[in-house]
C-alpha cells in the first residue's frame, strides 16, 4: 500500500445519492458503519455471539476430522469451490474448514492469473490439474468462475469467451460429479456497505493490508456490473448436478457455521453426529439464483 493517505477518495452512487469514500482515511464513514451489517438485505441486526460461535465451530471441526478419516478409508474425493465478491470472507471460511484436517489430505487451490502457456490451453485445463486424488479434500479460493465475474467485468476476456463459459460449464461440472467427486459450490454474498467496511478494515490492519489491491479500488464503481454477472452466473450454472449454495455472509461467523453444516449434512460419512452438526439456518443459506431475490 504505497499510496499516500487521501489519494484514493472515490465518489459512489448509492440509490441516487453521491457518497464519498476514502479507503485511506483512518475514520470509517458513519454512513458505512451504520448500514454495513444490514446491507444487502441481511436478516439479522447483530452478529452471532463469539462464545456461541466458537462452541459450535469446535463441534463442526470435530466432525470434519471424521470426514478426513472417512475419505482416507473410502478413497472418496471432495471439492469445495468458494466464490464471492472481494472481501466476502472466502479466505477465513476456508481456513476454518481445513484448520484441523491433515494437510497431507487437504489442499487449498488459489491460482494466480494464467501464464502465457496456460492462456493457450483449454480454459479449464489448469484447474483440472489441481483436482483431488483419492482421499483428498480440495478447497478453491476462487476457481474457473473467474470467467463469469471478474474477467468480463474488468475486460480480461471477450464476450464470446464469456458466453462460451456459461454454456460449457454445466457440462464440465456434470463430468466432475459423474466421476464420483463430491462438488460443493458456495457463493458468499455481502452487501455493498459491508464490502466498503471490510476494505477499510484491511487497509488499516497491518496484518491484512496485503489483501487490498488496486483492482479492489478500481472495481468500486462496478458494483452493479458485478451484480448482473453474479445473477447471470447463478442462473446459467445452477444445475441439479452442481447446484449453487448461496450464503448471506455479512456476519462471517454465521456464514462459516452454516457452510460447514451444509457440507457435513450432505456427506454420508461414518460416525456422523447430527446433533453436533445442528440445523442449517435457512435465512442465511439457500440455493440457486432465487435465494437473493
Amino acid at each position: 500500500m504505497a499510496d499516500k493517505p487521501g489519494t484514493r477518495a472515490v465518489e459512489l452512487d448509492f440509490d441516487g445519492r453521491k457518497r464519498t469514500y476514502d479507503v485511506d482515511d483512518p475514520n470509517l464513514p458513519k454512513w458505512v458503519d451504520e448500514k454495513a451489517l444490514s446491507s444487502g438485505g441481511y436478516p439479522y441486526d447483530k452478529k452471532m455471539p463469539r462464545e456461541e460461535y466458537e462452541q459450535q465451530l469446535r463441534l463442526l471441526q470435530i466432525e470434519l476430522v471424521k470426514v478426513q478419516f472417512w475419505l482416507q478409508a473410502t478413497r472418496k474425493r471432495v471439492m469445495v469451490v468458494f466464490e464471492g465478491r472481494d472481501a466476502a470472507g472466502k479466505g477465513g471460511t476456508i481456513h476454518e474448514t481445513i484448520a484441523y484436517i491433515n494437510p497431507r489430505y487437504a489442499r487449498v487451490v488459489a491460482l494466480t492469473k494464467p501464464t502465457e502457456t496456460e492462456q493457450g490451453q483449454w480454459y479449464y485445463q489448469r484447474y483440472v490439474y489441481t483436482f483431488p486424488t483419492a482421499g483428498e479434500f480440495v478447497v478453491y479460493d476462487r476457481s474457473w468462475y473467474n470467467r463469469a465475474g471478474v474477467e468480463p467485468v474488468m475486460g480480461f476476456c471477450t464476450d464470446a469467451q464469456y458466453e462460451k463459459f456459461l454454456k460449457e460449464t454445466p457440462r464440465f461440472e456434470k463430468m466432475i460429479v459423474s466421476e464420483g467427486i463430491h462438488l460443493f459450490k458456495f457463493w458468499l454474498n455481502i452487501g455493498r456497505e459491508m464490502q466498503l467496511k471490510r476494505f477499510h478494515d484491511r487497509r488499516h490492519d497491518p496484518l491484512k493490508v496485503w489483501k487490498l489491491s488496486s483492482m479492489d479500488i478500481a472495481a468500486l464503481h462496478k458494483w452493479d456490473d458485478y451484480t448482473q454477472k453474479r445473477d447471470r452466473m447463478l442462473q446459467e450454472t445452477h444445475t441439479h448436478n452442481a447446484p449453487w449454495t448461496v450464503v448471506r455472509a455479512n456476519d462471517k461467523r454465521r456464514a462459516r457455521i452454516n457452510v460447514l453444516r451444509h457440507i457435513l449434512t450432505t456427506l454420508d460419512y461414518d460416525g456422523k453426529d447430527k446433533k453436533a452438526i445442528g440445523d442449517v439456518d435457512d435465512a442465511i443459506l439457500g440455493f440457486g439464483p432465487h435465494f437473493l431475490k
Side-chain angles (χ1 to χ4, degrees):
M1 303 295 295
D3 294 345
K4 295 180 180 179
T7 60
R8 289 183 294 178
V10 295
E11 193 173 69
L12 303 174
D13 189 349
F14 277 76
D15 298 324
R17 183 176 181 181
K18 299 296 183 181
R19 296 283 197 177
T20 299
Y21 173 77
D22 184 353
V23 72
D24 293 310
D25 188 335
N27 299 307
L28 180 68
K30 185 177 180 181
W31 61 271
V32 173
D33 193 36
E34 289 180 344
K35 294 185 177 182
L37 186 61
S38 63
S39 61
Y42 192 72
Y44 292 101
D45 57 8
K46 293 183 179 179
K47 292 183 178 180
M48 185 180 195
R50 178 177 292 279
E51 183 177 355
E52 179 184 352
Y53 164 70
E54 291 178 348
Q55 290 174 349
Q56 292 187 19
L57 179 62
R58 184 175 188 275
L59 293 175
L60 295 171
Q61 289 174 330
I62 290 172
E63 293 299 301
L64 284 166
V65 173
K66 297 178 185 179
V67 169
Q68 168 191 300
F69 289 130
W70 171 72
L71 289 175
Q72 293 169 21
T74 62
R75 297 177 63 80
K76 293 186 180 296
R77 295 162 288 175
V78 172
M79 293 172 61
V80 186
V81 170
F82 285 99
E83 292 287 347
R85 299 179 194 264
D86 294 318
K90 298 180 291 296
T93 305
I94 289 169
H95 177 270
E96 299 298 2
T97 301
I98 65 170
Y100 295 100
I101 300 180
N102 189 330
R104 290 195 181 103
Y105 306 104
R107 289 187 284 117
V108 178
V109 176
L111 300 184
T112 58
K113 66 180 182 179
T115 64
E116 184 176 350
T117 298
E118 289 170 337
Q119 290 176 19
Q121 297 173 343
W122 179 45
Y123 175 71
Y124 305 95
Q125 188 166 337
R126 71 190 192 122
Y127 294 101
V128 173
Y129 287 141
T130 69
F131 280 12
T133 189
E136 274 197 314
F137 191 108
V138 179
V139 183
Y140 290 80
D141 187 346
R142 295 196 182 275
S143 67
W144 46 94
Y145 279 101
N146 281 332
R147 182 140 292 178
V150 64
E151 288 189 20
V153 170
M154 301 304 291
F156 297 153
C157 70
T158 66
D159 290 343
Q161 289 172 327
Y162 169 64
E163 295 294 338
K164 182 180 181 183
F165 173 85
L166 293 175
K167 182 179 180 180
E168 291 186 344
T169 295
R171 297 199 292 263
F172 171 64
E173 292 175 347
K174 185 177 181 180
M175 293 172 62
I176 296 173
V177 176
S178 296
E179 174 62 19
I181 297 173
H182 293 278
L183 174 62
F184 295 89
K185 300 188 307 186
F186 289 101
W187 174 265
L188 303 186
N189 199 72
I190 56 172
R192 195 175 186 186
E193 287 90 346
M194 179 54 74
Q195 185 187 57
L196 294 177
K197 182 180 186 303
R198 290 182 183 177
F199 280 177
H200 185 271
D201 291 345
R202 288 179 175 185
R203 171 63 182 90
H204 299 281
D205 185 338
L207 295 178
K208 297 181 180 180
V209 67
W210 61 271
K211 292 185 175 184
L212 187 66
S213 71
S214 58
M215 187 178 295
D216 295 334
I217 305 304
L220 286 176
H221 289 289
K222 299 180 181 293
W223 178 270
D224 291 339
D225 198 359
Y226 271 107
T227 300
Q228 188 273 330
K229 294 297 188 295
R230 175 204 67 190
D231 292 348
R232 178 136 188 243
M233 176 195 76
L234 294 176
Q235 185 67 46
E236 299 285 349
T237 62
H238 176 66
T239 66
H240 173 74
N241 293 293
W244 274 106
T245 303
V246 181
V247 183
R248 292 190 172 106
N250 280 1
D251 178 3
K252 294 179 181 180
R253 296 169 187 168
R254 284 195 179 91
R256 294 168 184 171
I257 292 297
N258 283 280
V259 163
L260 298 186
R261 281 177 174 164
H262 175 65
I263 293 173
L264 293 166
T265 299
T266 303
L267 296 175
D268 188 21
Y269 59 94
D270 296 333
K272 180 186 293 189
D273 185 341
K274 294 182 180 180
K275 183 177 180 180
I277 295 171
D279 297 323
V280 169
D281 185 344
D282 293 336
I284 295 296
L285 184 148
F287 304 94
H290 302 295
F291 183 65
L292 296 176
K293 300 296 184 183

